[in-house]
Amino acid sequence: MPAKTNAIRLLEQGGIRFELREYEVDESDLSAESVAAKVGLPEEQVFKTLVAKGDRNGVCFAVIPANCKLDLKALAQLTGDRKIDTVPLKDVQPLTGYIRGGVTVFGAKKAFPVFANETIEICDVISVSAGQRGLQILLSPQDYVAATQAKLGPIGMTT
């Protein structure tokens, strides 16, 4: 049984049903595509959590499928910013409390606004990081959107 992360505790406290999937971590390949293959889900159901910062509204989370890259223009439009970019990797842990490959909205240091790709709604189940490398949370997209109060939009571009 994996150690309980803050993300897992929050989901349990909220009464949200979820499943955990452990996978072998390869430090040389932390890509969401690799995680999808290891947890046995299609890439469009495994969502990666990126941290971005806009010129008007500051820091936010952008949640997109593994097979997509972030559409910064679409994210800026959704957030109400003129310009937005991902934060440098060195700033991710101080802002969220999580390291690359383990970033999740659940249990982050601060409850930044969450913006998710609109395709999240068409999945039966999605997978997001449980707050540490090697552990994914599988849950319904409806529960994820409700728990994170995510605003949906076309922020993921298929790669």
Side-chain angles (χ1 to χ4, degrees):
M1 181 74 183
K4 274 197 184 172
T5 64
N6 287 339
I8 294 167
R9 282 187 202 90
L10 272 173
L11 289 173
E12 287 177 344
Q13 288 167 4
I16 296 170
R17 288 183 34 211
F18 64 93
E19 175 190 329
L20 293 176
R21 286 232 179 123
E22 289 185 273
Y23 64 92
E24 195 68 37
V25 177
D26 177 358
E27 296 288 331
S28 67
D29 183 7
L30 297 172
S31 72
E33 295 90 342
S34 169
V35 172
K38 291 175 182 176
V39 297
L41 286 174
E43 291 178 1
E44 53 274 4
Q45 286 180 245
V46 176
F47 282 74
K48 54 189 171 186
T49 305
L50 306 173
V51 185
K53 186 174 184 182
D55 62 348
R56 292 181 178 167
N57 298 305
V59 177
C60 68
F61 287 109
V63 184
I64 60 172
N67 63 339
C68 288
K69 73 178 207 188
L70 184 59
D71 182 338
L72 293 168
K73 281 186 180 170
L75 180 61
Q77 194 170 9
L78 199 58
T79 63
D81 289 295
R82 283 185 310 257
K83 186 177 185 308
I84 198 163
D85 210 342
T86 53
V87 301
L89 195 52
K90 67 176 179 48
D91 296 339
V92 170
Q93 189 171 10
L95 284 169
T96 67
Y98 294 120
I99 60 170
R100 178 174 176 245
V103 177
T104 186
V105 171
F106 299 118
K109 271 187 179 178
K110 190 167 180 233
F112 296 116
V114 179
F115 299 90
N117 195 59
E118 61 195 4
T119 60
I120 198 169
E121 290 186 309
I122 62 172
C123 301
D124 295 336
V125 67
I126 62 162
S127 173
V128 295
S129 175
Q132 68 183 45
R133 292 176 181 167
L135 192 59
Q136 289 287 108
I137 293 172
L138 279 64
L139 73 166
S140 87
Q142 295 79 13
D143 285 346
Y144 181 85
V145 170
T148 62
Q149 299 176 350
K151 186 172 179 184
L152 305 184
I155 62 169
M157 295 186 299
T158 314
T159 51

